[in-house]
Amino acid sequence: MEELHQLSAPVTVALIVIFFGGSLYISSRISRKEENADGYMTGGGRIGFGIAAASMTATWIWASSMYASATSGYTYGISGPIHYGLWGALMILLIYPFGRRIRAVAPRAHTIAEVMYARHGRSSQLMLAGSNVLGSVISLTSNLIAGGALVAMLSPFTFTQGIVTIAAGVLLYTLWSGFRASVMTDFAQVCAMLGAVVVIVPVVFFAAGGPQVFVTGAANVTPEQANFFSSEAFLHQGAPYIAAVLAYAIGNQTIAQRLFAVREDLIKKTFITATIGYGATIIGIGMLGVVALYAGIEPMGGDVNNLIPQMAATYLPGALVAVFFIMIIGSMSSTADSDLTALSAIMMADVYGQNVAGKAKADPRKMVWIGRITMIVATAIALYFASGQMNILDMLVFVGALWGTLVFPVIASFYWKKVSNLAFTASVLAAMACFLPVRFELIPMTGPVGFVVDLLSVVGIGVVLGLMAFGFFGLRAAVVVGGVAAVVSAPFVIGFLHDYNVLSASLVAYAVSALVCTILSVRSNVDFDFSLIARRTGDFDEREEEVAIVAEAEAAALGVEGPADLGRKR
């Protein structure tokens, strides 16, 4: 292997100061002396197309997704990044039809969990909020791991120094203005990321040997890795990721937060633009893993998290190593700040705003400080877990599959009047109870158990494809597509799919939640009025503003200068 090119300590420090200093400057330019709660959570729901599309792209293109795409390419060959990037892009596209429905019934909400509280009650809200707390902490942790690996590989500093520095930098510029700081810095970060990818991927490819590497390195790959239509790649990577990212699209608060932030008339083109940007970037960066596979490169320390920085340090000249460093720091920061703002919104709106103080009595000023404290605590927790350096790809797939228990009940709750709180809660708990034993093989997947898992997986295939069809084409198309998919896949699935525990666990989660939710909903007497959701959700600052307006009007009527003088006048 060629000698690794590292950045010197002064250059590393300078790049970190420039990047996070620039982000802090942008944040300070948009900060207010006193932030309001709604602006801190969703920017007031008035974010324009350019900022929204850039933020959505930057949030989805995180350092972990780059690393995971490269890992997929290294593990499964050329089809690995295709599966990872293509299906991830499809799921971004899938958000907009459901997103328009969500915004139509809850135009001024802040979190999906908040909407579920208005739709069902506390149990469904806490399930969504709890899963998002877990998901965002894991996401934040995985981004710190990616950043720490980068610093340790490309500079004289250690992994621990890297994760602490990056965590402090992200927290510094996000803490004061929350979501508004996140989306404004995302715009600059995504421009840097996309520009760097366009330059770096071709340079590494040709430095590693160009097209000739696929000839000289053919001996380094297995027949499955060389096969573009590899069934192993699809069953281990493609299919589980289809299920996982569908769950991410519906259940992830970082995505929902941008859905509630962008202007309602801009939802479609925002998510279409993000789809294209994500797909091209992630597939491109994932090809570095394919090049590493053909070039016979072994990940340093046996840790696939080191693969991308290792490729950069091996094949890039010093100046481009600095550009690569900024690219990864930008991708990591864009999602880390989204995780922090998502966690703060959950604690502000779902925990304090709905369950502690109550909507009518919530103090917007106190909410903002709760959001800031949440960010500090979350950063500390993520630093603690990041020291374990867990496998990023496994973490992402696990969280996505976990959210799969929620997808059908959440979507059904926005369209079907008969979905009850019991149906929602029972379906999620039942799906979780079935998901965990299959995912972690707590019971032998043989005999009747294996058959039942395969049978449920067939139903799960129909549910996943049916939900996709439903988003774009409606209920009739969903029933047809789902039914045909289940029938066609059954002969190929029953008898062997239980051997692929990651995929089968995800499909079982979809199947069980859909079956239980449907059965209990059909039997319920609920006839929900969706107009209630808009009345039960809304701005937390609105009540305070209305009080101030009334006070000013009263002061003017009495001939005094303002509310303070009004009190003295009385």
Side-chain angles (χ1 to χ4, degrees):
M1 182 186 293
E2 299 180 22
E3 183 181 355
L4 298 181
H5 301 135
Q6 279 196 333
L7 301 171
S8 66
V11 170
T12 304
V13 171
L15 290 173
I16 290 174
V17 170
I18 290 171
F19 179 84
F20 287 116
S23 298
L24 180 61
Y25 174 76
I26 294 172
S27 176
S28 67
R29 297 286 294 176
I30 63 171
S31 65
R32 301 172 179 174
K33 187 175 181 180
E34 290 188 10
E35 279 288 349
N36 65 69
D38 298 304
Y40 199 85
M41 289 188 283
T42 60
R46 297 185 296 272
I47 304 296
F49 166 68
I51 297 296
S55 182
M56 185 66 253
T57 305
T59 298
W60 207 252
I61 301 174
W62 41 331
S64 297
S65 64
M66 290 185 173
Y67 281 39
S69 182
T71 298
S72 185
Y74 186 79
T75 305
Y76 302 113
I78 195 168
S79 62
I82 303 295
H83 282 306
Y84 193 97
L86 182 62
W87 303 128
L90 176 63
M91 291 310 109
I92 300 177
L93 186 65
L94 188 69
I95 296 169
Y96 92 78
F98 294 121
R100 288 190 297 184
R101 172 62 180 174
I102 293 170
R103 281 294 295 274
V105 300
R108 299 193 313 184
H110 308 89
T111 71
I112 291 289
E114 180 188 3
V115 181
M116 287 299 102
Y117 180 85
R119 175 66 173 86
H120 294 301
R122 185 161 293 146
S123 62
S124 59
Q125 178 198 29
L126 294 180
M127 283 181 177
L128 261 175
S131 66
N132 268 289
V133 168
L134 175 63
S136 288
V137 168
I138 289 178
S139 171
L140 183 59
T141 300
S142 66
N143 274 285
L144 293 183
I145 291 171
L150 176 78
V151 170
M153 183 73 66
L154 299 185
S155 78
F157 298 108
T158 65
F159 174 85
T160 301
Q161 290 171 326
I163 63 175
V164 171
T165 301
I166 291 168
V170 173
L171 182 63
L172 183 66
Y173 74 78
T174 311
L175 188 65
W176 191 257
S177 295
F179 180 79
R180 293 167 66 243
S182 175
V183 294
M184 292 302 293
T185 54
D186 280 347
F187 185 81
Q189 289 162 359
V190 79
C191 291
M193 280 190 290
L194 296 180
V197 168
V198 169
V199 174
I200 286 171
V201 173
V203 169
V204 171
F205 175 64
F206 285 104
Q212 188 64 25
V213 74
F214 294 112
V215 177
T216 58
N220 295 323
V221 301
T222 66
E224 278 293 330
Q225 290 173 326
N227 181 10
F228 184 80
F229 299 101
S230 167
S231 60
E232 286 295 300
F234 179 74
L235 291 171
H236 282 290
Q237 173 65 66
Y241 199 58
I242 293 173
V245 294
L246 175 59
Y248 266 90
I250 301 303
N252 191 335
Q253 171 59 18
T254 63
I255 308 301
Q257 205 162 11
R258 280 145 186 80
L259 173 64
F260 290 125
V262 67
R263 273 176 37 198
E264 194 169 348
D265 59 312
L266 299 175
I267 290 175
K268 181 177 181 179
K269 67 178 184 178
T270 294
F271 285 99
I272 289 177
T273 302
T275 296
I276 297 170
Y278 172 88
T281 303
I282 293 301
I283 291 174
I285 204 76
M287 290 302 168
L288 294 181
V290 179
V291 172
L293 172 66
Y294 276 85
I297 293 176
E298 292 291 331
M300 291 189 66
D303 186 358
V304 290
N305 293 336
N306 293 328
L307 196 58
I308 284 187
Q310 182 179 342
M311 292 292 288
T314 302
Y315 294 111
L316 291 178
L320 285 182
V321 170
V323 174
F324 173 83
F325 187 86
I326 291 296
M327 177 188 77
I328 299 297
I329 292 293
S331 63
M332 182 276 304
S333 300
S334 66
T335 305
D337 62 33
S338 299
D339 290 321
L340 290 178
T341 57
L343 287 165
S344 66
I346 290 169
M347 296 303 293
M348 290 166 69
D350 295 311
V351 177
Y352 172 76
Q354 295 283 11
N355 288 289
V356 177
K359 178 87 174 166
K361 296 181 180 179
D363 181 352
R365 293 187 183 90
K366 185 180 291 185
M367 290 179 73
V368 172
W369 283 105
I370 289 171
R372 290 171 180 152
I373 293 169
T374 299
M375 289 187 183
I376 296 171
V377 173
T379 301
I381 293 172
L383 280 171
Y384 174 77
F385 286 122
S387 61
Q389 301 187 49
M390 295 171 283
N391 183 280
I392 290 174
L393 187 58
D394 288 345
M395 292 168 66
L396 297 180
V397 172
F398 173 72
V399 175
L402 195 62
W403 273 327
T405 62
L406 291 156
V407 173
F408 185 89
V410 169
I411 291 176
S413 295
F414 282 104
Y415 292 89
W416 193 9
K417 295 181 178 181
K418 290 180 66 63
V419 179
S420 64
N421 184 45
L422 174 62
F424 186 102
T425 305
S427 62
V428 173
L429 293 177
M432 185 72 67
C434 295
F435 165 78
L436 293 174
V438 177
R439 174 64 180 82
F440 297 105
E441 299 180 302
L442 301 179
I443 54 177
M445 295 292 133
T446 57
V449 175
F451 176 78
V452 171
V453 168
D454 290 344
L455 196 61
L456 288 172
S457 297
V458 169
V459 177
I461 291 171
V463 171
V464 171
L465 296 181
L467 287 174
M468 292 180 184
F470 175 70
F472 292 108
F473 306 111
L475 181 59
R476 181 175 297 178
V479 173
V480 172
V481 170
V484 170
V487 171
V488 171
S489 64
F492 304 97
V493 167
I494 295 176
F496 90 98
L497 196 62
H498 58 268
D499 292 330
Y500 297 85
N501 64 308
V502 175
L503 174 56
S504 57
S506 298
L507 294 175
V508 166
Y510 277 97
V512 172
S513 64
L515 290 171
V516 174
C517 185
T518 301
I519 292 169
L520 293 180
S521 296
V522 168
R523 294 170 59 86
S524 79
N525 296 320
V526 173
D527 187 21
F528 185 76
D529 179 4
F530 284 104
S531 66
L532 291 174
I533 294 179
R535 297 201 292 270
R536 291 173 178 173
T537 58
D539 295 340
F540 284 92
D541 292 284
E542 180 181 32
R543 174 174 48 81
E544 186 178 68
E545 292 169 0
E546 288 175 353
V547 170
I549 291 170
V550 171
E552 292 290 351
E554 290 182 357
L558 293 173
V560 294
E561 293 183 1
D565 290 331
L566 174 61
R568 289 193 292 271
K569 184 84 173 181
R570 287 174 174 167

